Amino acid sequence: QVQLMESGGGLVQAGGSLRLSCSASGSIFSINPMEWYRQAPGKQRELVAALSSRGNKNYADSVKGRFTISRDNLKNTVYLQMNSLKAEDTAVYYCRGWLGVSGYWGQGTQVTVSS
C-alpha cells in the first residue's frame, strides 16, 4: 500500500510560481513512474507531467517549458515546479505513483491562478 500526499498549492497571480510536493508514506525508490495530473472544474483529469524510473520526463504540450517534474528519493518526494503560471493552470493537482501494476493517487491540492 502506498499513500501519497500533495502539498504546496495555493493562490498565485498570473506569471508567478509554485512548487508542488508529493510525499510518499514510504520509500519511493520502487514507485515508477510518478505522475502529476490536474483537473479543472467541468473538465476531465489530464496528465501534466511524468517521470520514469530512468529519469525520462514527459510533459503536456500546454506546460512544456514552464513546468518541471523532479524527485528526491532520499526525501521520498516528487515535485512539480510551476513557473509562468497562467489562469488556465487553475485546477486541483494530483500525483499518482505506480507500484507494479497498481496506481495510487493522492488527495489533491488546489492551485488557483488569478489573472
Side-chain angles (χ1 to χ4, degrees), residues 40-99:
K43 295 188 177 181
Q44 289 188 332
R45 193 172 295 189
E46 63 173 349
L47 179 63
V48 174
L51 177 59
S52 74
S53 59
R54 295 186 176 185
N56 295 322
K57 302 178 182 181
N58 289 290
Y59 300 95
D61 287 342
S62 58
V63 306
K64 280 181 182 176
R66 300 188 298 123
F67 289 12
T68 302
I69 187 171
S70 63
R71 68 193 291 161
D72 186 334
N73 287 339
L74 293 178
K75 295 183 178 180
N76 298 323
T77 301
V78 175
Y79 303 99
L80 185 67
Q81 177 67 43
M82 306 186 297
N83 299 327
S84 302
L85 283 162
K86 306 175 181 180
E88 50 263 43
D89 295 319
T90 295
V92 178
Y93 284 72
Y94 300 88
C95 65
R96 183 168 73 169
W98 291 89
L99 188 61

Side-chain angles (χ1 to χ4, degrees), residues 1-7 20-26 28 31-40 43-50 69 78 80 91-99 101-109:
Q1 188 78 14
V2 175
Q3 292 183 326
L4 302 174
M5 180 173 293
E6 302 91 338
S7 61
L20 305 184
S21 299
C22 173
S23 299
S25 55
I28 65 169
I31 304 176
N32 290 293
M34 292 294 299
E35 302 163 330
W36 282 98
Y37 282 76
R38 67 185 180 189
Q39 187 167 18
K43 295 188 177 181
Q44 289 188 332
R45 193 172 295 189
E46 63 173 349
L47 179 63
V48 174
I69 187 171
V78 175
L80 185 67
V92 178
Y93 284 72
Y94 300 88
C95 65
R96 183 168 73 169
W98 291 89
L99 188 61
V101 297
S102 299
Y104 298 89
W105 291 95
Q107 85 291 345
T109 185

